[in-house]
């Protein structure tokens, strides 16, 4: 049971969502992509809905039509599994480090920050985020106010709030969970 190699890597990739995101980003219709790629609209629709697995050749034709490469589309594909384990790092790092807790292109992003971080660096995210102090303590400056958080404390920031933070204890670990930047979750908030 100690073998974790099948956590993620062996899952087939769903390339359909990546194809659809790319097509919509370029504001193209299925008909235009069909015309450019020489593939049929029904087939392309099935690919986008992950009801058909395109061959490498078909995927390259689709990629050409979308001015990208098959490799890029596969890199942006979602893992077919809905469960993915990201294992803890074996050794705590001596220097400050950030690691992603969510792999792939999803609607949620999460990172873990270990150690101190550049307090001079200001952050502003498009979407809402939650900061959770797993260990240690941090000082956060947001909207002109300072907040001190200790182990187990959380801070919620709505999208667009400028903030900066620093660890005030050496072995601090902060988990930041946010709606991914590529998701348009922000309502037009009247200022």
């Amino acid at each position: 049971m100690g073998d974790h190699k099948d956590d993620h890597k062996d899952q087939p990739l769903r390339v359909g969502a990546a194809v659809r995101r790319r097509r919509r980003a370029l504001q193209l219709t299925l008909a235009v992509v069909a015309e450019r790629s020489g593939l049929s609209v029904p087939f392309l629709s099935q690919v986008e809905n992950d009801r058909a697995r395109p061959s490498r050749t078909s995927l390259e034709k689709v990629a050409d039509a979308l001015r990208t490469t098959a490799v890029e589309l596969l890199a942006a594909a979602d893992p077919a599994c809905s469960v993915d384990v990201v294992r803890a790092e074996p050794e705590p790092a001596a220097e400050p480090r950030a690691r992603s807790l969510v792999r792939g292109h999803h609607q949620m992003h999460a990172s873990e920050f270990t150690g101190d971080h550049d307090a001079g660096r200001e952050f502003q995210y498009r979407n809402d985020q939650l900061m959770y102090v797993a260990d240690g303590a941090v000082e956060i400056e947001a909207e002109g106010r300072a907040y001190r958080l200790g182990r187990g404390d959380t801070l919620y920031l709505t999208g667009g709030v400028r903030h900066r933070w620093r660890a005030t204890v050496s072995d601090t670990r902060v988990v930041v969970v946010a709606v991914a930047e590529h998701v348009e979750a922000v309502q037009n908030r009247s200022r």
Side-chain angles (χ1 to χ4, degrees):
M1 290 300 285
D3 188 9
H4 305 310
K5 77 171 178 16
D6 61 347
D7 283 346
H8 178 83
K9 293 181 191 63
D10 301 335
Q11 293 289 345
L13 289 169
R14 293 183 310 194
V15 77
V19 171
R20 185 186 294 116
R21 281 193 293 266
R22 178 71 185 166
R23 176 176 66 77
R24 287 184 176 162
L26 295 174
Q27 298 180 320
L28 300 174
T29 62
L30 275 171
V32 170
V33 177
E35 192 180 314
R36 286 185 186 177
S37 65
L39 301 166
S40 73
V41 169
F43 176 70
L44 288 169
S45 176
Q46 285 188 320
V47 166
E48 284 196 359
N49 292 306
D50 286 301
R51 286 200 296 269
R53 301 268 323 257
S55 66
R56 184 72 192 201
T57 311
S58 294
L59 189 58
E60 279 166 3
K61 286 178 180 173
V62 171
D64 283 346
L66 297 174
R67 300 194 195 97
T68 185
T69 64
V71 173
E72 287 290 322
L73 286 175
L74 287 168
D78 297 331
C81 59
S82 57
V83 177
D84 183 25
V85 176
V86 175
R87 298 283 166 195
E89 304 265 317
E91 284 298 313
E95 67 276 356
R97 191 192 57 227
R99 72 185 183 108
S100 181
L101 303 178
V102 179
R103 284 184 279 220
H105 191 87
H106 296 289
Q107 300 206 343
M108 180 180 284
H109 186 74
S111 296
E112 177 190 65
F113 296 91
T114 310
D116 203 359
H117 281 269
D118 181 4
R121 186 165 168 216
E122 193 173 57
F123 297 95
Q124 183 181 29
Y125 295 100
R126 182 197 296 177
N127 295 322
D128 295 6
Q129 66 164 349
L130 177 82
M131 293 179 82
Y132 169 75
V133 182
D135 249 323
V138 299
E139 202 170 71
I140 300 161
E141 192 187 304
E143 296 287 293
R145 287 186 59 191
Y147 301 88
R148 285 189 171 82
L149 303 189
R151 182 177 176 179
D153 290 344
T154 60
L155 179 81
Y156 192 89
L157 297 160
T158 54
V161 171
R162 292 180 181 280
H163 61 285
R164 54 168 61 101
W165 66 277
R166 67 187 186 91
T168 53
V169 176
S170 58
D171 290 330
T172 293
R173 277 193 314 134
V174 177
V175 174
V176 177
V177 180
V179 177
E181 285 285 300
H182 66 267
V183 177
E184 289 285 354
V186 171
Q187 304 301 309
N188 289 327
R189 295 193 174 88
S190 52
R191 277 268 174 233

